[in-house]
Amino acid sequence: MNKSILFTSLFIQNVLFAQFSQRNLSSENWQFKNSKDKSWLSAKVPGTVHLDLMNNKVIPDPFKDENEKKVQWVENEDWDYQTQFTISSKELENKNINLVFNGLDTFSEIYLNGKLLKKTDNMFRRWEVPVKQNLRIGNNIIQVKFKSAVTAGKELAKKVPFTMPESPRSFVRKAQYQFGWDWGPRLVTAGIWKDVKLEFWNNAVLENTKIEQKSLTDKKADLRIHTSIVADQDGKYTLTINDKPNEIKLKKGRNKIEIPFVIENPKRWQPNGWGDPYLYDIKISLQQKSKVLSDEALKIGLRTIELVQEKDKKGKSFYFKVNGNPLYIKGTNWIPADSFSPRITKEKYQKLIKDSKEANMNMIRIWGGGIYEDEEFYKACDENGILVWQDFMFAGSFYPADEDFLNNVKEEIKDQVERIQNHPSIALWCGNNEIDEAIVNWGYQKQFNYSKSDSLQVWKDYKKLFHEVIPDALKANLTADKNIYWPSSPSIGWGHKESLTEGDSHYWGVWWGEQPFEIYNDKVGRFMSEYGFQGMPTMEAIKSMFSGTPEFSLQDSTVKAHEKHARGWDIINGYMKRDYHVPADFVKYNYVSQLLQARGMQMAIEAHRRAKPYNMGTLYWQLNDCWPVVSWSSIDYSGNWKAFHYQAKRSFEPTLISVAETDKAYEIYFINDLLNAFGAESGAKLIDFEGNILWKTEAADPLSANSSEKHFEINKAELGKFDLSKAVLKVYFGNNSLQQEKLFFFNKPKDLKLSKPDITIRKVSPMEFEISTDVLAKDVYLIGDTHFSDNFFDMLPKTSKIIKLSKPLEKIEVMSLWDTMEN
């Protein structure tokens, strides 16, 4: 052999031997079975047992018909998974080989070639096991034996001397929503729900990297790169950051290295609405003698963020200051986008986040009863300027605080914050969802006959977990600039007056309390992190509930099975009777239920925004669904925008006009979330439903930066001579670069004296249609298998509107509120 060829071959082999590498075992041929059975069935990894059972036609799709009831047996069984894979002699020459499970759901035993390696008990942890000594050249077998989480939870619950609410889910470190919620089915899963890998490394490997931002000015970003490096021998190494080498010495074992790094003339990451969410690439490489041992690529954003809580005359503020300016938060709450989270695609994550951006949002709260989301979620938020309020996965129950549970949680927190903390979108870490409130307000102690010592123990355990263990774990695993912690959302329950004067508020007087929508004008807190109202999903999502021909009836058992709130239909009907004619036709009822939801949420959002700066945030419940269902979501499981999402887009505009009605006047507010002020012409016109101008007024007002101000008011007496049941107030402001208008109706929709509109639809191009009307058209609903750039909108008489489509349609059907008011 040519000597130069031999040298090159040996060099390449040596480099490959030295470099960190991974081998994905998820793509191997996995099998699964009920532990009671002998025969194996094909499985997919990542996946869940329910998906595998469906794929093998053992169970029906639980999302369809009433099949959820038919699959409840699955949660009580134990399930085994296995695969075979080959190892080459070359692979086995690596000094270190780790078997890594990024997610096991939940109680399992991991075997390699028949030897028990590890027992697991937490869906949210990363499990890494050294396996070099257990591997053999040729064929190897991995087995993972899962125990029923329900059975395991019940066994753990027996150790507590009193009954815990929602038992046994609170004893189980897995996604709490799987046990059933008032918007989701009970589907308690098991399985290998994230990737499985073999990791090979030699000499040393990068374990974790944290980017700390020490200071940020227009001229310089002063950063610290904190790396954790595991070495199996002492020596000199080079740590290269963006091609800049740094000589370091490592000792055998785990090493903590800190390297200063400066970015000159930095560009800031800005939230949606304020500018570009600029991202920097940080490439880190660990080398020895010019050989790359391990490397990592990160994308970071440079921004400052503070949670400001200062006492004032009315209580205590609660707002986020981003890049030195108070940011009014506009957004929503996120639940897992599927009951079977392994099938949430990157495309679905990207679409839901882009839909949020398009609706002018700047924050999403990840609710504490779901999962720590996939990397793609945080990546999409980084890229779209969406801040993340990150709950830890505890929700609406009491939780134990024994040593094993607390140690498990510590490791969970470590794994998750190390994984996601470098994302610039992360704004806040929150201990839990509604547990403080559950202990104080929900009456569980009385329901389960707690003794005084039982009640004290619950509170002691709560304090230990959320005021000691989690904050301590954050301090140990986060850089100081990222450690913003809030123990519980909300901080005070909605039945207490203090919930509106400090902290964050979950206001449920509407829906749960069955108060009228108008109460939103009075119940405004410092930061509204939950409130909502249900609406039906689109007809496409309704159809997906059925395995056969749909039965479009509110009395249909399938339709009823896809409303998980015990009194959901009664509450919707009660509110609908207040504000609308209740249609007998199912399709029209579906349409009006969406309008009802949008109407209530518009009132809430506008009341919150008018109250700025007293109120500095509004996060509605909820963005999305985990299955086809009647729920509080603004986007249904099929990905369609409900009427509410179109309204959220309008209500979250950076500049907004809002009308507040008092006993004697209509107060006109101009709201500006932008950081610049501008002059504007403004005014109001009273227009009847035929298009005649009955009254008008004009003004010239500057619009202050980052403000909400009452600009003028209209005395009710001025409009007293007009029939306001067939008139609309058009309020406007604008200049050469900005035009904004608001249509305000004086009566409830059911009391409007509407005429039948002649709505004309003209095709402009394959992707554009022009909509026009002769008289006022209220709540124009465009129907077709496409996404419309706007929908469920009002049109003034003798006006037209261009609508863009996401894909071409030959024909569009249309409906308006008038169609629901026929006798």
Side-chain angles (χ1 to χ4, degrees):
M1 179 184 287
N2 183 301
K3 289 185 178 180
S4 63
I5 295 175
L6 175 61
F7 176 79
T8 302
S9 175
L10 290 172
F11 176 76
I12 291 172
Q13 288 181 10
N14 198 28
V15 169
L16 289 173
F17 177 75
Q19 190 172 18
F20 172 86
S21 62
Q22 293 183 333
R23 178 173 161 189
N24 191 348
L25 296 181
S26 302
S27 57
E28 301 290 339
N29 292 320
W30 285 87
Q31 298 175 304
F32 84 111
K33 69 178 182 66
N34 189 314
S35 62
K36 298 174 183 175
D37 297 337
K38 292 184 178 179
S39 58
W40 293 85
L41 300 170
S42 63
K44 289 184 179 179
V45 171
T48 74
V49 67
H50 289 81
L51 293 176
D52 291 330
L53 290 167
M54 276 190 276
N55 290 336
N56 285 277
K57 297 183 169 42
V58 177
I59 63 170
D61 185 344
F63 285 12
K64 294 187 181 296
D65 307 322
E66 297 177 76
N67 292 341
E68 178 197 353
K69 300 173 186 176
K70 298 177 182 179
V71 303
Q72 292 306 303
W73 62 272
V74 175
E75 69 179 41
N76 297 310
E77 301 296 317
D78 299 337
W79 301 94
D80 299 342
Y81 279 74
Q82 72 173 23
T83 192
Q84 298 185 34
F85 63 99
T86 59
I87 287 288
S88 68
S89 59
K90 196 68 189 172
E91 286 176 315
L92 206 55
E93 287 177 14
N94 284 279
K95 294 180 181 178
N96 302 279
I97 307 174
N98 294 333
L99 175 62
V100 178
F101 288 89
N102 282 313
L104 291 171
D105 181 13
T106 294
F107 294 91
S108 79
E109 295 177 343
I110 304 168
Y111 294 84
L112 177 58
N113 297 326
K115 181 178 180 181
L116 175 62
L117 299 181
K118 174 82 74 173
K119 293 183 178 181
T120 79
D121 57 357
N122 191 323
M123 177 181 179
F124 306 123
R125 285 177 60 182
R126 180 179 184 269
W127 303 97
E128 181 176 317
V129 189
V131 292
K132 179 175 171 65
Q133 301 305 317
N134 305 103
L135 290 169
R136 57 196 179 208
I137 297 170
N139 197 49
N140 293 263
I141 299 175
I142 292 176
Q143 288 186 315
V144 186
K145 296 179 178 289
F146 291 96
K147 184 176 181 179
S148 161
V150 173
T151 301
K154 288 178 180 177
E155 292 172 359
L156 290 168
K158 291 176 183 177
K159 298 179 181 180
V160 176
F162 49 87
T163 302
M164 297 274 256
E166 304 290 341
S167 184
R169 73 166 170 84
S170 58
F171 292 90
V172 179
R173 291 312 300 142
K174 73 187 266 89
Q176 303 284 276
Y177 80 111
Q178 295 178 353
F179 293 83
W181 225 267
D182 53 9
W183 38 258
R186 183 180 176 102
L187 295 166
V188 185
T189 62
I192 304 170
W193 76 290
K194 290 194 172 186
D195 279 332
V196 188
K197 297 177 181 178
L198 282 175
E199 293 184 347
F200 306 89
W201 63 275
N202 299 281
N203 299 350
V205 65
L206 289 168
E207 184 181 49
N208 178 257
T209 301
K210 305 173 187 179
I211 312 294
E212 181 181 11
Q213 183 180 286
K214 298 293 286 186
S215 64
L216 177 63
T217 67
D218 291 341
K219 293 183 177 180
K220 186 175 73 169
D222 183 11
L223 308 179
R224 294 293 185 276
I225 313 294
H226 300 269
T227 62
S228 176
I229 301 173
V230 178
D232 61 12
Q233 60 184 31
D234 297 351
K236 294 180 180 180
Y237 296 79
T238 302
L239 190 66
T240 300
I241 302 171
N242 283 11
D243 299 323
K244 182 180 179 181
N246 300 272
E247 301 303 320
I248 59 174
K249 287 184 179 181
L250 299 179
K251 295 181 179 180
K252 185 176 180 179
R254 183 169 285 105
N255 297 260
K256 301 289 186 180
I257 304 296
E258 179 180 330
I259 303 289
F261 188 77
V262 172
I263 297 176
E264 303 288 351
N265 303 312
K267 296 180 180 179
R268 284 175 169 81
W269 183 94
Q270 295 286 7
N272 185 32
W274 275 9
D276 180 28
Y278 192 85
L279 297 171
Y280 284 90
D281 289 306
I282 302 290
K283 295 179 180 179
I284 301 169
S285 175
L286 179 64
Q287 301 165 8
Q288 188 178 44
K289 298 177 181 177
S290 300
K291 297 172 185 175
V292 176
L293 303 180
S294 179
D295 55 18
E296 186 174 5
L298 302 171
K299 281 189 177 291
I300 67 165
L302 304 175
R303 88 289 185 276
T304 60
I305 188 161
E306 305 168 62
L307 175 61
V308 181
Q309 297 184 79
E310 296 173 337
K311 289 186 177 180
D312 55 30
K313 293 179 181 179
K314 295 182 178 180
K316 186 188 290 186
S317 67
F318 190 104
Y319 69 92
F320 292 90
K321 185 181 283 189
V322 179
N323 294 326
N325 294 299
L327 175 68
Y328 189 89
I329 296 297
K330 297 174 291 192
T332 185
N333 286 260
W334 171 282
I335 65 169
D338 202 299
S339 287
F340 306 123
S341 52
R343 70 176 175 189
I344 307 172
T345 62
K346 290 184 177 182
E347 291 75 18
K348 188 165 191 176
Y349 277 118
Q350 287 285 346
K351 181 184 181 300
L352 284 167
I353 299 305
K354 286 176 181 175
D355 286 345
S356 302
K357 179 183 180 180
E358 190 176 337
N360 299 300
M361 299 183 196
N362 56 28
M363 178 177 277
I364 289 176
R365 172 181 174 237
I366 297 182
W367 170 74
I371 60 174
Y372 304 96
E373 288 297 339
D374 185 82
E375 182 68 17
E376 195 68 23
F377 172 91
Y378 302 99
K379 177 175 176 285
C381 289
D382 292 346
E383 293 167 349
N384 289 281
I386 307 294
L387 292 165
V388 176
W389 171 311
Q390 177 68 62
D391 278 9
F392 290 108
M393 294 301 117
F394 303 87
S397 184
F398 302 169
Y399 286 82
D402 58 90
E403 186 176 358
D404 287 344
F405 187 87
L406 295 179
N407 287 335
N408 200 355
V409 170
K410 287 177 189 177
E411 294 303 315
E412 171 188 325
I413 301 300
K414 178 180 184 293
D415 284 354
Q416 294 301 330
V417 301
E418 284 188 347
R419 179 175 71 93
I420 64 177
Q421 70 168 285
N422 291 318
H423 289 278
S425 52
I426 300 288
L428 179 74
W429 308 92
C430 179
N432 68 75
N433 172 76
E434 295 186 346
I435 297 179
D436 186 306
E437 181 172 3
I439 294 172
V440 176
N441 295 328
W442 291 1
Y444 283 134
Q445 293 89 334
K446 184 177 180 180
Q447 179 182 342
F448 295 114
N449 297 314
Y450 281 16
S451 66
K452 185 176 181 179
S453 62
D454 293 340
S455 296
L456 289 172
Q457 188 63 47
V458 167
W459 190 245
K460 181 181 177 182
D461 290 348
Y462 172 83
K463 289 283 191 179
K464 181 71 175 177
L465 179 55
F466 298 107
H467 290 263
E468 294 180 35
V469 170
I470 292 179
D472 288 348
L474 290 177
K475 187 176 181 180
N477 295 290
L478 286 172
T479 57
D481 57 310
K482 297 182 179 69
N483 194 357
I484 303 176
Y485 177 68
W486 186 239
S488 184
S489 180
S491 48
I492 303 170
W494 63 268
H496 300 266
K497 64 180 182 180
E498 293 84 3
S499 69
L500 300 179
T501 62
E502 60 184 86
D504 71 314
S505 176
H506 294 191
Y507 180 69
W508 286 105
V510 171
W511 185 266
W512 284 98
E514 299 184 49
Q515 293 292 312
F517 288 145
E518 288 76 13
I519 199 73
Y520 279 132
N521 293 316
D522 301 321
K523 302 296 185 178
V524 178
R526 311 309 293 259
F527 191 102
M528 306 302 290
S529 49
E530 268 194 36
Y531 59 92
F533 192 86
Q534 282 195 356
M536 293 180 75
T538 62
M539 290 303 298
E540 180 186 341
I542 294 284
K543 291 173 185 175
S544 75
M545 299 174 182
F546 295 82
S547 58
T549 304
E551 180 62 42
F552 292 140
S553 167
L554 294 176
Q555 304 309 313
D556 181 77
S557 58
T558 293
V559 173
K560 287 184 174 181
H562 288 74
E563 163 61 273
K564 301 302 289 184
H565 190 281
R567 295 193 59 249
W569 289 116
D570 290 339
I571 295 173
I572 290 171
N573 284 329
Y575 277 86
M576 193 180 289
K577 287 175 184 176
R578 295 176 189 176
D579 288 1
Y580 291 88
H581 293 284
V582 181
D585 177 77
F586 184 88
V587 174
K588 291 180 180 178
Y589 187 95
N590 174 281
Y591 161 63
V592 173
S593 90
Q594 291 192 53
L595 296 181
L596 178 70
Q597 180 190 27
R599 173 176 164 79
M601 295 300 91
Q602 178 184 8
M603 285 190 192
I605 292 169
E606 290 194 14
H608 301 160
R609 293 191 67 186
R610 285 196 304 268
K612 177 182 177 176
Y614 178 83
N615 170 275
M616 283 299 289
T618 179
L619 301 174
Y620 68 80
W621 183 268
Q622 67 208 61
L623 176 69
N624 57 320
D625 285 324
C626 66
W627 76 317
V629 65
V630 180
S631 83
W632 294 266
S633 71
S634 61
I635 299 175
D636 68 27
Y637 179 73
S638 298
N640 300 300
W641 289 23
K642 294 157 70 169
F644 173 26
H645 203 79
Y646 285 100
Q647 182 56 53
K649 179 181 179 180
R650 294 187 281 267
S651 294
F652 284 155
E653 287 277 0
T655 56
L656 179 74
I657 301 169
S658 183
V659 181
E661 182 178 358
T662 67
D663 290 340
K664 296 182 178 180
Y666 301 102
E667 299 178 339
I668 313 300
Y669 284 78
F670 293 168
I671 300 155
N672 180 16
D673 289 338
L674 302 174
L675 296 177
N676 57 295
F678 48 86
E681 299 294 324
S682 63
K685 297 177 181 178
L686 185 67
I687 304 170
D688 70 18
F689 291 172
E690 307 299 319
N692 301 303
I693 298 175
L694 306 176
W695 174 94
K696 65 180 179 179
T697 185
E698 294 181 350
D701 285 321
L703 204 60
S704 301
N706 212 0
S707 68
S708 171
E709 297 173 341
K710 185 174 78 170
H711 278 247
F712 61 93
E713 64 180 44
I714 302 168
N715 194 300
K716 285 186 173 180
E718 286 194 60
L719 307 181
K721 61 182 178 180
F722 304 108
D723 183 354
L724 299 182
S725 65
K726 54 182 179 181
V728 60
L729 186 69
K730 175 186 174 181
V731 187
Y732 61 90
F733 69 72
N735 55 28
N736 292 334
S737 61
L738 174 70
Q739 296 293 324
Q740 198 83 30
E741 71 174 44
K742 164 82 172 182
L743 298 183
F744 175 80
F745 292 89
F746 299 90
N747 295 77
K748 291 176 179 288
K750 69 178 182 180
D751 297 325
L752 296 175
K753 296 176 182 177
L754 299 174
S755 301
K756 182 179 181 179
D758 180 11
I759 300 173
T760 304
I761 301 176
R762 183 177 69 86
K763 188 174 183 179
V764 177
S765 72
M767 304 291 282
E768 286 187 331
F769 282 76
E770 182 185 57
I771 318 296
S772 57
T773 182
D774 58 340
V775 299
L776 178 95
K778 185 90 177 75
D779 299 312
V780 176
Y781 175 30
L782 304 176
I783 305 167
D785 183 21
T786 190
H787 175 72
F788 299 99
S789 59
D790 199 5
N791 211 344
F792 302 94
F793 50 81
D794 300 327
M795 291 188 70
L796 289 171
K798 303 176 183 63
T799 61
S800 64
K801 185 180 181 77
I802 296 293
I803 298 293
K804 296 180 180 180
L805 315 182
S806 62
K807 63 181 179 181
L809 279 184
E810 285 302 313
K811 184 183 178 183
I812 295 174
E813 295 181 17
V814 67
M815 186 186 298
S816 74
L817 188 62
W818 185 87
D819 295 303
T820 71
M821 304 176 82
E822 298 174 277
N823 293 324

